[in-house]
Amino acid sequence: MEFLKHLPKTAVALIRHYGRKLWVRVAAMGLFAFVALAMSQLIEPLVPQDMATTLPGSAADRLLNLIANAMLAVTTFSLTVMVSVYQSSSTQWTPRVHQLIMQDAVTQNTLAAFIGAYVYALVAIVLREIGIYVDDRALVLFWLTVLVLAFVVWSLIRWTLHLQTLGSLIDTTRQLETITQQQFQERLETPCLGACPWTGDLPEDAWSVPSSDSGYLQYLYPEALQEAAAEHDVTLYFLCSIGSFVFVNEPLVWVMGDPDDKDALIKDVQRLAVIGDVRTYDQDPRFGLLVMSEIGSKALSPGVNDPGTAIDVLNRSARILSLYQDETAGDAAPEHDRLHVPPLDPVDLIVDAFAGIARDGAGEVEVQQRLQRVMAGLMHHPDEGLSNAARDLGSEFLDRAKEAITWEPDRNRLIAKAAERIRD
């Protein structure tokens, strides 16, 4: 795996992946506290003697004790609130939204700020006790502590304002739409992850790389995979799309070519095709559409009975799908010519976004009217594949609804909302 160090995109992907983890931000803020204290020791000798002695060490001690005492309580309270919001969101909306809320940047930055300030205060108190910071030269330490205290107050205000919407339905669906649209746009900007679209049959002489574990295909590092394929002089055909569930020893990747070291190639591919126990939003816009559909379906359950939420989800999913482009239509040469990846299927996208709501809300006239309005709009999409998929599935959704809605006036109103080409 020596080639990984030469791949900037792979490094950026790893940084983005770990940058969304709470412990990484907390560790970074704690490290920054140490750096700040070390810098203060470098600045202190540069301060003139008459200015450095204007404040006694006891002035900084009071602020440090205040931060140390307050941050422990505030951090404990914030963790309690965070866990409560995570649990309630999973219960009210869908468990699949839990990991999205866990990656909320404001929440993670706030907790990192509180813990970083706590570490700063503790380390500064220890340094004061062992005589690193003397009483007659505490000016820099005092004003540095004032800046830390101001940063804590600002973080606390930001956190309080953020709590007004954290975990709410509107905020959750908005975050879902944002992350799904972002992943969708990134996928379409680099069709098939920069690989060759794979729509045909496997070469006859291809051999398979087995999956090392059972789970979801979470992430591919296409640049590193391209480098590995070039190093071994082979071509890789990915049987599964991102988000597919694979079983241990099931074919994960098909290989065309005869590498010198087959075992090394297998290990490289298995490391660069990440498999985990849950689906993630990275490289998987279908998962975001599916989670939004689950929220809409749960809103239609008898215990919730909230068709307005299902309608809102339909609108958001339609906005995302309106961005669709055929990944096989571009003329540009693929960035990774040794990789072949299946393109996004418009039928799968529409099923992920709307099939659950069409089934669970089959008898809800308002929901079905909006669904047919959405499908009629997607039928006007410039991409023929998405337009045809919307027509076929829109007709299927309409037939299901006509069977579920027993009152004729409601059926007539629903049919009037459907596109003309599927009414009969």
Side-chain angles (χ1 to χ4, degrees):
M1 301 291 286
E2 291 294 328
F3 53 82
L4 277 178
K5 62 184 180 182
H6 303 297
L7 303 177
K9 291 185 178 180
T10 300
V12 170
L14 288 171
I15 292 172
R16 288 177 57 185
H17 173 71
Y18 285 103
R20 290 193 293 265
K21 293 183 180 296
L22 177 59
W23 69 267
V24 173
R25 301 196 184 202
V26 170
M29 193 61 70
L31 180 62
F32 183 73
F34 282 95
V35 172
L37 288 169
M39 291 296 296
S40 70
Q41 283 293 286
L42 298 177
I43 298 173
E44 187 74 46
L46 304 178
V47 179
Q49 179 69 24
D50 56 344
M51 184 182 297
T53 57
T54 56
L55 284 173
S58 59
D61 290 340
R62 286 192 291 270
L63 293 181
L64 290 172
N65 289 328
L66 175 64
I67 294 175
N69 293 329
M71 286 304 96
L72 185 59
V74 170
T75 302
T76 303
F77 167 75
S78 300
L79 285 172
T80 303
V81 172
M82 182 183 69
V83 172
S84 176
V85 170
Y86 292 167
Q87 291 178 344
S88 63
S89 298
S90 297
T91 303
Q92 291 179 340
W93 317 136
T94 170
R96 258 65 61 189
V97 81
H98 177 266
Q99 57 183 297
L100 179 64
I101 299 179
M102 284 185 63
Q103 296 175 1
D104 181 71
V106 175
T107 302
Q108 292 189 350
N109 290 337
T110 301
L111 288 172
F114 292 164
I115 297 176
Y118 183 64
V119 171
Y120 167 84
L122 288 182
V123 174
I125 291 173
V126 171
L127 294 178
R128 283 278 295 145
E129 291 296 328
I130 63 178
I132 300 298
Y133 290 105
V134 295
D135 285 337
D136 58 349
R137 295 187 68 89
L139 182 69
V140 174
L141 177 63
F142 175 83
W143 286 111
L144 180 60
T145 306
V146 169
L147 291 176
V148 172
L149 191 58
F151 176 62
V152 168
V153 172
W154 176 80
S155 298
L156 188 59
I157 294 173
R158 187 187 184 198
W159 171 239
T160 302
L161 295 175
H162 188 61
L163 286 178
Q164 296 177 1
T165 58
L166 181 63
S168 66
L169 176 62
I170 296 299
D171 183 64
T172 300
T173 53
R174 185 179 292 126
Q175 286 190 56
L176 265 174
E177 180 183 8
T178 300
I179 189 64
T180 305
Q181 184 173 351
Q182 176 185 338
Q183 295 300 325
F184 202 61
Q185 288 177 327
E186 288 184 5
R187 173 67 185 250
L188 296 178
E189 287 172 0
T190 54
C192 298
L193 306 178
C196 303
W198 180 25
T199 56
D201 298 327
L202 277 171
E204 294 183 0
D205 297 335
W207 55 276
S208 64
V209 172
S211 172
S212 60
D213 196 4
S214 295
Y216 292 98
L217 180 58
Q218 293 180 335
Y219 200 88
L220 295 178
Y221 292 98
E223 189 181 26
L225 285 165
Q226 168 74 11
E227 191 74 15
E231 181 179 323
H232 293 281
D233 193 23
V234 297
T235 303
L236 304 179
Y237 294 82
F238 280 86
L239 179 67
C240 305
S241 302
I242 303 292
S244 300
F245 192 91
V246 295
F247 292 91
V248 64
N249 212 40
E250 182 181 7
L252 175 64
V253 180
W254 290 88
V255 182
M256 186 61 187
D258 188 15
D260 294 334
D261 191 343
K262 182 179 291 188
D263 291 337
L265 174 62
I266 292 175
K267 289 181 180 179
D268 286 345
V269 171
Q270 289 177 341
R271 290 173 183 172
L272 297 171
V274 181
I275 295 176
D277 59 339
V278 296
R279 291 180 72 171
T280 63
Y281 297 93
D282 292 335
Q283 294 185 345
D284 191 5
R286 289 182 56 188
F287 183 53
L289 292 171
L290 184 62
V291 174
M292 282 200 292
S293 179
E294 289 181 353
I295 293 177
S297 293
K298 190 161 189 176
L300 294 171
S301 64
V304 179
N305 192 23
D306 181 18
T309 294
I311 292 173
D312 179 64
V313 167
L314 290 174
N315 293 334
R316 294 180 185 276
S317 298
R319 279 200 295 267
I320 295 171
L321 289 179
S322 64
L323 303 173
Y324 175 80
Q325 299 173 7
D326 186 357
E327 293 185 284
T328 66
D331 296 330
E335 184 178 353
H336 310 303
D337 58 351
R338 290 181 177 270
L339 306 182
H340 291 73
V341 173
L344 292 173
D345 188 341
V347 174
D348 291 337
L349 294 173
I350 292 179
V351 169
D352 290 333
F354 305 123
I357 296 177
R359 179 193 64 240
D360 297 329
E364 298 284 345
V365 179
E366 298 85 354
V367 174
Q368 292 301 319
Q369 285 179 322
R370 180 53 58 91
L371 178 58
Q372 287 302 319
R373 176 68 185 87
V374 165
M375 301 308 291
L378 292 178
M379 290 180 204
H380 292 91
H381 194 277
D383 182 81
E384 184 178 358
L386 184 66
S387 175
N388 292 337
R391 179 198 62 205
D392 297 338
L393 290 170
S395 177
E396 180 181 313
F397 297 157
L398 181 61
D399 291 340
R400 181 197 291 269
K402 286 192 294 186
E403 290 187 10
I405 298 173
T406 57
W407 200 45
E408 186 174 354
D410 281 345
R411 283 201 306 272
N412 293 336
R413 282 192 287 269
L414 171 61
I415 294 173
K417 286 289 184 180
E420 292 186 7
R421 67 178 92 172
I422 66 171
R423 289 180 185 175
D424 297 331

